[in-house]
Amino acid sequence: MRQLEVAAVRRTVFDEDHEAFRETLRAFIEAEVVPVYDEWFAAGQAPRDFYYKLAELGIFGIRVDEEYGGAGIDSYKFEAVMYEETARAGVQFGGSGVHVLLGLPYIKTLATDEQKKRFLPKFVSGEEMWALAMTEPGTGSDLAGMKTTAKLSEDGTHYVLNGSKTFITGGVHADRVIVCARTSPSTAEDRRFGISLFAVDTKSEGYSIGRKLDKLGLKTSDTAELAFVDVKVPAEDLLGEENKGFSYLGHNLASERWGIAFGAYAQAKAAVRFAKEYVQERTVFGKPVASFQNTKFELAACQAEVDAAEAVVDRALEALDADELTPAEAASAKLFCTEVAHRVIDRCLQLHGGYGFMNEYPIARLYADNRVNRIYGGTSEIMKTIIAKDMGL
């Protein structure tokens, strides 16, 4: 115990404000999430009303300027605490993560003053939940190959959106979706040219939600297919400049990949906690499972990997807050931490024996939830490509 306390003291990324937030958040999770989480799991999504509770807690407004109803704190550290506390409790906040981690950076960096006045107060209050729609059927990580189009009307008042998207987290409950679409054909010199971003109102005529996808993990996070048939998007809902969307996507992918890396680290840390508690309580051959040398060695090895991942994500977090996190550094953090989480969670599940395969145990849900970390936000193979390119290879 003393060694763990020393390790916690050495960690410098969080201060007293973050720890006070941690206490508040932990109490909120125990009161508002844990008692009903099995119901969410069975339903395949968190209820829409829950997002209003998160808004009341101030979750959505931490990084939003005060003039729009937020706290005006320009830091991702409170979100990092959220990753740790949800993982610790073995729960998730539904699809709300994309609202803040994916939606907000685009509004903050691309929206005009007029757009911010329209969007951000409702963003903070939870009245409008946001999602991001990039991936299309058949294109996967090849964003430059997207087929969804947005054509400007002759009078210039609106765009006409046609196409489809898939794997859209938060897509069922979303009130606004940042949709990536082609406004111009790509060129032979640059396949990435011609993509634009739009803040699409999900109540628009011609906008429809297809299947709510049945996923291996992340069961409480609503993920959907979206379709657009002649959807009229007001010209004033274009985010940023026309045809420059790909560069915007690339800039904001660093924060997204940091979030996946930190979430994976938090899951690995939680897995060690779950396994440690289980082996201390479980008895085999008349002795606690924790007393066997193999158990001690396995958990010690897992703890060492978690310690290393913590150092990586904390360093990336400091760089992100300083606006210095490069795409290659974000890719490296995501690659390392998601691979660590994969190994650690698998080994911790093994220590549970047959019970580790039962969904009533958090380690089983964690195992399923973790698998997507090496896929979304760019696969591990894409991360390696980015890193290798940065190395000059």
Side-chain angles (χ1 to χ4, degrees), residues 173-319:
H173 285 318
D175 303 288
R176 286 266 177 185
V177 177
I178 300 173
V179 177
C180 312
R182 282 211 163 275
T183 42
S184 296
S186 60
T187 65
E189 296 78 20
D190 186 3
R191 292 181 64 242
R192 302 173 177 181
F193 175 80
I195 294 173
S196 301
L197 308 184
F198 299 90
V200 179
D201 186 340
T202 62
K203 296 185 295 295
S204 302
E205 185 177 353
Y207 180 105
S208 63
I209 300 171
R211 292 184 302 152
K212 182 168 77 70
L213 300 174
D214 183 15
K215 308 184 299 295
L216 170 68
L218 302 179
K219 289 292 188 178
T220 65
S221 174
D222 55 299
T223 303
E225 296 173 330
L226 305 179
F228 322 109
V229 179
D230 293 333
V231 176
K232 291 184 178 180
V233 182
E236 56 266 27
D237 286 346
L238 171 71
L239 284 175
E241 295 184 42
E242 193 177 87
N243 298 325
K244 293 186 177 181
F246 198 96
S247 64
Y248 302 145
L249 294 173
H251 177 76
N252 287 319
L253 276 173
S255 60
E256 177 183 354
R257 286 166 179 164
W258 164 82
I260 296 170
F262 204 100
Y265 145 73
Q267 289 176 327
K269 182 178 181 180
V272 172
R273 174 174 174 264
F274 296 146
K276 180 183 174 183
E277 291 176 352
Y278 179 82
V279 299
Q280 288 176 326
E281 296 172 358
R282 176 72 169 161
T283 300
V284 177
F285 303 121
K287 298 191 299 184
V289 175
S291 67
F292 292 92
Q293 186 182 63
N294 179 69
T295 303
K296 296 176 182 179
F297 281 6
E298 283 294 284
L299 284 176
C302 288
Q303 183 62 52
E305 291 218 72
V306 169
D307 287 344
E310 181 177 273
V312 168
V313 293
D314 283 0
R315 184 182 70 175
L317 175 54
E318 295 287 17

Side-chain angles (χ1 to χ4, degrees), residues 120-148:
L120 286 175
K122 294 180 180 179
F123 180 99
V124 172
S125 69
E127 183 178 345
E128 282 191 350
M129 296 298 295
W130 287 61
L132 176 64
M134 293 190 290
T135 305
E136 296 184 359
T139 61
S141 297
D142 182 19
L143 296 180
M146 67 177 62
K147 305 298 183 183
T148 298

